[in-house]
Amino acid sequence: MPVRQTLPARRLSVAPMLDWTDRHYRYMARQISRHAWLYTEMIHAGAIIHGQAERFLGKDESENPVALQLGGSNPADLAKAAAIAAGWGYDEINLNCGCPSPRVQKGAFGACLMNEVDLVADCLNAMQEAAPDCAVTVKHRIGIDRQTEYQTVCDFVGTLADKTACRTYIVHARNAWLEGLSPKENRDVPPLKYDYVYRLKQDFPQLEIIINGGIKTNAEIAEHLQHVDGVMIGREAYHNPMLMQSWDRLFYGERLPETDFNTLIHTLYHYMQRSLAADPGLTIRHMLRHYLGLLHGRNHARVWRQMLSDATLLQSNRPELILEAWEKVSAGV
């Protein structure tokens, strides 16, 4: 495994999002922020053990610091997957204890693991033993269904802090409703309780506590950082990726110039060229779908989105399409 330089703090990170935070999105995000932590989609441990490692774990070296999020509840399988991931150069391996989807519940992992804290401890310990050079972390909710008291999440974190070496807890500040709400509704309907996450940091000052859920602006990020160690952004960082443009300057003290659109677009064009040459089965659609929000809130964003999602234009599979769209936008068409 290559020797790592000192890693940046987890002050800012982009959440693991199924079907969204694949390698192509993460490459783009890394061009916008040099320091924010990036997370993969949740990948089941069994898929890594029995599937094609390149398909699930392949990444560009520029992505680091990057974390792999694992799904599963079998300590032995999670340990095997963690060991494999460590060999691919991941900086962190995160256990999902927050996903409420029925498919995940059927597999007895995700959010329902919050009711099995001893099993979670066994999983984290097995992962850490198998990947001693990686940080092993956990992402979870503040409770399940009608568990609305702060003590629920306090006991969960406290037990894990006592029984494992895990020191980083990423807390989605909503309950997960396992019945009655869809996964989409679970991202919006249960009320946000940021104060619960703040209290965790007060009660466990030795732990790294990262807050997640419903955060959309840099002003909100700055406010949360007054109370916790880090902020994780999900959907807003996907639909409006240039939100990340000022993160290095605002939250990491970076003095290098912020990424500009023209440089970014040409970097993505060359990335698309390389990716298509390396994978004959890849299409520009796989990559361009992640770039649709780059001009969010800016002039001619509609033209940009239309060109990059036009079925006829996509058929040619030409990476030059991104340059042509940028030329149209730059010309004010």
Side-chain angles (χ1 to χ4, degrees), residues 262-298:
N262 190 60
T263 300
L264 176 60
I265 299 307
H266 282 81
T267 299
L268 292 176
Y269 164 65
H270 293 301
Y271 169 76
M272 291 172 67
Q273 282 187 313
R274 296 194 306 273
S275 298
L276 290 168
D279 182 358
L282 185 64
T283 69
I284 60 171
R285 186 191 300 270
H286 287 125
M287 295 172 277
L288 289 178
R289 69 186 181 97
H290 299 303
Y291 309 158
L292 296 178
L294 274 174
L295 270 66
H296 178 86
R298 291 170 169 82

Side-chain angles (χ1 to χ4, degrees), residues 15-301:
M17 291 176 281
L18 195 61
D19 295 327
W20 288 3
T21 52
D22 66 11
R23 67 174 80 179
H24 306 304
Y25 170 82
R26 297 194 307 268
Y27 181 86
M28 176 192 68
R30 178 57 68 225
Q31 309 315 305
I32 302 172
S33 170
R34 301 175 183 91
H35 301 304
W37 282 69
L38 306 176
Y39 284 71
T40 70
E41 309 166 82
M42 182 185 69
I43 302 171
H44 192 272
I48 293 174
I49 297 169
H50 304 295
Q52 298 173 331
E54 170 64 28
R55 174 185 171 191
F56 296 107
L57 298 177
K59 62 181 179 63
D60 191 281
E61 280 306 307
S62 68
E63 291 178 33
N64 294 77
V66 61
L68 169 70
Q69 187 182 68
L70 285 177
S73 58
N74 182 297
D77 285 350
L78 287 164
K80 290 177 185 176
I84 295 169
W88 280 80
Y90 284 85
D91 299 296
E92 174 190 327
I93 303 171
N94 178 266
L95 179 63
N96 184 310
C97 293
C99 181
S101 79
R103 180 171 62 87
V104 165
Q105 291 181 53
K106 187 175 180 180
F109 63 100
C112 59
L113 282 176
M114 287 195 69
N115 287 330
E116 303 285 347
V117 67
D118 290 334
L119 175 59
V120 174
D122 290 341
C123 292
L124 293 174
N125 285 332
M127 292 161 65
Q128 190 67 80
E129 184 176 353
D133 295 326
C134 288
V136 171
T137 68
V138 59
K139 187 174 189 293
H140 57 91
R141 298 281 184 131
I142 56 173
I144 303 298
D145 295 326
R146 300 186 185 280
Q147 299 170 346
T148 58
E149 299 299 319
Y150 167 72
Q151 200 60 42
T152 298
V153 68
C154 182
D155 289 345
F156 180 79
V157 171
T159 299
L160 294 180
D162 286 342
K163 293 189 172 185
T164 76
C166 180
R167 289 296 174 264
T168 300
Y169 295 78
I170 303 167
V171 190
H172 187 156
R174 301 182 195 269
N175 269 46
W177 285 83
L178 302 183
E179 295 184 7
L181 292 180
S182 69
K184 182 178 185 298
E185 291 169 329
N186 259 289
R187 294 192 292 266
D188 296 298
V189 174
L192 286 160
K193 296 183 179 180
Y194 293 137
D195 58 307
Y196 280 20
V197 189
Y198 297 169
R199 286 178 65 182
L200 283 175
K201 183 58 188 176
Q202 294 170 1
D203 290 342
F204 302 98
Q206 77 280 16
L207 301 180
E208 184 178 36
I209 304 295
I210 297 171
I211 197 167
N212 170 235
I215 304 164
K216 296 183 178 180
T217 69
N218 287 334
E220 292 172 355
I221 290 171
E223 172 58 30
H224 287 302
L225 287 174
Q226 300 298 312
H227 305 278
V228 292
D229 299 296
V231 175
M232 175 176 276
I233 309 292
R235 285 167 287 170
E236 192 66 20
Y238 186 85
H239 294 302
N240 178 21
M242 291 306 277
L243 173 70
M244 297 181 278
Q245 186 180 30
S246 58
W247 283 4
D248 293 348
R249 173 176 55 84
L250 293 176
F251 304 112
Y252 286 96
E254 177 66 82
R255 295 185 179 182
L256 293 173
E258 294 177 0
T259 302
D260 66 88
F261 275 102
N262 190 60
T263 300
L264 176 60
I265 299 307
H266 282 81
T267 299
L268 292 176
Y269 164 65
H270 293 301
Y271 169 76
M272 291 172 67
Q273 282 187 313
R274 296 194 306 273
S275 298
L276 290 168
D279 182 358
L282 185 64
T283 69
I284 60 171
R285 186 191 300 270
H286 287 125
M287 295 172 277
L288 289 178
R289 69 186 181 97
H290 299 303
Y291 309 158
L292 296 178
L294 274 174
L295 270 66
H296 178 86
R298 291 170 169 82
N299 291 337
H300 311 299

